[in-house]
């Protein structure tokens, strides 16, 4: 990466970190995605009940494999052989987890989390339920403000995730949101989290790499 671009990204990252801390989040910055599991090891006690939301960021960071291979009671939505009813039960059990791990579709420089969800289980858990939430996000998720976040979420993250999930939606055809009424639409709940009311409940791990969508 060009040194001047790197300087800009690092300034933006530090600005976002300070804003998140002002909004009651505990924030870690790591150099690369391979460093994420070291933070998880430090902050999640053994034998904790842990769940996670659908997220390419946590998959790319290796967080799910780390959780599977260590001493946690994992509510694993990706476990083979689960029926839709089993997955629905896990979604509900996640509200009683000690830790809920996910990402955010966008994070503003003002320390706001912006997410667009399909079922709503992910954003619901981020808002209330689990004792602690852990957000893993690459610096590609950082945007200037809420307007930029809205643009990113609707016209970048949502079409890409619809394509990834093999949804038959208009955005997969044209590459941007058309505010469709498709039964396969994945963007139904738009949530802006301005701050965490409970200091220490929200933990954000920012990665100096592009991960996830």
């Amino acid at each position: 990466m060009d040194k001047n671009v790197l300087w800009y990204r690092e300034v933006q990252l530090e600005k976002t970190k300070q804003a998140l801390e002002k909004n009651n989040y505990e924030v870690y910055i790591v150099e690369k995605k391979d460093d994420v599991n070291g933070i998880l090891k430090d902050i999640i006690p053994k034998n904790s009940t842990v769940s996670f939301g659908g997220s390419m960021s946590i998959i790319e960071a290796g967080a799910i494999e780390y959780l599977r291979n260590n001493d946690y009671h994992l509510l694993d939505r990706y476990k083979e052989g689960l029926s839709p009813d089993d997955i629905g039960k896990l979604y509900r059990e996640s509200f009683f987890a000690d830790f809920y791990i996910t990402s955010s579709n966008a994070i503003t420089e003002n320390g706001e989390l912006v997410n667009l969800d399909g079922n709503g289980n992910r954003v619901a858990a981020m808002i209330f339920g689990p004792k602690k939430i852990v957000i893993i996000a690459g610096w590609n998720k950082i945007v200037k403000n809420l307007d930029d976040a809205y643009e990113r979420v609707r016209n970048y993250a949502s079409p890409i995730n619809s394509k990834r999930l093999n949804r038959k939606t208009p955005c997969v055809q044209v590459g941007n949101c058309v505010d469709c009424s498709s039964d396969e639409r994945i963007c139904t709940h738009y949530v802006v989290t301005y701050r965490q009311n409970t200091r220490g409940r929200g933990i954000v791990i920012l990665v100096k790499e592009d991960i996830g969508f």
Side-chain angles (χ1 to χ4, degrees), residues 1 7-8 11 28 41 49 54 62-63 72 91 108 126 131 148 164 173 177-179 201 203 205:
M1 181 181 293
W7 163 82
Y8 178 84
V11 168
Y28 299 86
K41 181 179 179 180
T49 298
Y72 303 114
Y91 285 171
T108 73
M126 292 171 74
K131 293 178 182 177
D148 289 349
R164 175 176 67 87
Q173 302 300 317
C177 179
V178 297
D179 199 20
R201 179 177 183 264
I203 301 167
I205 304 173

Side-chain angles (χ1 to χ4, degrees), residues 55-73:
S55 165
M56 286 303 298
S57 294
I58 64 174
I59 293 173
E60 290 178 19
I64 295 176
E65 287 306 309
Y66 167 77
L67 295 169
R68 284 173 172 168
N69 293 312
N70 284 275
D71 297 326
Y72 303 114
H73 173 49

Side-chain angles (χ1 to χ4, degrees), residues 14-198:
E14 183 59 32
K15 186 186 302 183
T16 305
K17 177 180 184 292
Q18 292 177 16
L20 285 165
E21 289 173 338
K22 186 177 179 180
N23 291 341
N24 284 338
Y25 292 93
E26 182 179 343
V27 184
Y28 299 86
I29 295 177
V30 297
E31 292 292 326
K32 54 188 185 299
K33 63 186 179 183
D34 294 341
D35 298 329
V36 167
N37 289 340
I39 302 296
L40 296 180
K41 181 179 179 180
D42 289 341
I43 64 177
I44 304 179
K46 290 183 178 181
N47 301 315
S48 296
T49 298
V50 183
S51 186
F52 55 87
S55 165
M56 286 303 298
S57 294
I58 64 174
I59 293 173
E60 290 178 19
I64 295 176
E65 287 306 309
Y66 167 77
L67 295 169
R68 284 173 172 168
N69 293 312
N70 284 275
D71 297 326
Y72 303 114
H73 173 49
L74 183 61
L75 304 176
D76 190 347
R77 56 182 283 166
Y78 294 142
K79 185 178 179 180
E80 290 186 9
L82 294 180
S83 69
D85 286 343
D86 293 332
I87 295 172
K89 182 180 179 181
L90 285 177
Y91 285 171
R92 290 168 175 80
E93 289 177 348
S94 295
F95 285 95
F96 300 95
D98 298 311
F99 287 82
Y100 188 86
I101 301 173
T102 187
S103 188
S104 185
N105 295 132
I107 302 175
T108 73
E109 291 182 10
N110 293 321
E112 299 143 334
L113 306 182
V114 180
N115 288 281
L116 192 56
D117 215 16
N119 293 323
N121 60 291
R122 177 177 66 103
V123 293
M126 292 171 74
I127 293 169
F128 182 80
K131 293 178 182 177
K132 290 182 180 289
I133 59 168
V134 181
I135 309 298
I136 299 170
W139 59 7
N140 53 309
K141 301 289 189 76
I142 298 175
V143 296
K144 181 66 69 177
N145 51 42
L146 289 175
D147 287 339
D148 289 349
Y150 187 76
E151 174 67 20
R152 183 186 197 282
V153 170
R154 285 177 65 89
N155 292 314
Y156 180 75
S158 289
I160 291 176
N161 277 306
S162 294
K163 176 68 174 176
R164 175 176 67 87
L165 295 170
N166 296 314
R167 296 300 180 97
K168 295 179 177 62
T169 53
C171 65
V172 172
Q173 302 300 317
V174 300
N176 59 268
C177 179
V178 297
D179 199 20
C180 73
S181 58
S182 170
D183 290 339
E184 297 201 18
R185 174 173 171 155
I186 68 167
C187 49
T188 53
H189 303 279
Y190 185 75
V191 176
V192 178
T193 304
Y194 294 96
R195 72 194 301 270
Q196 269 292 325
N197 283 340
T198 304

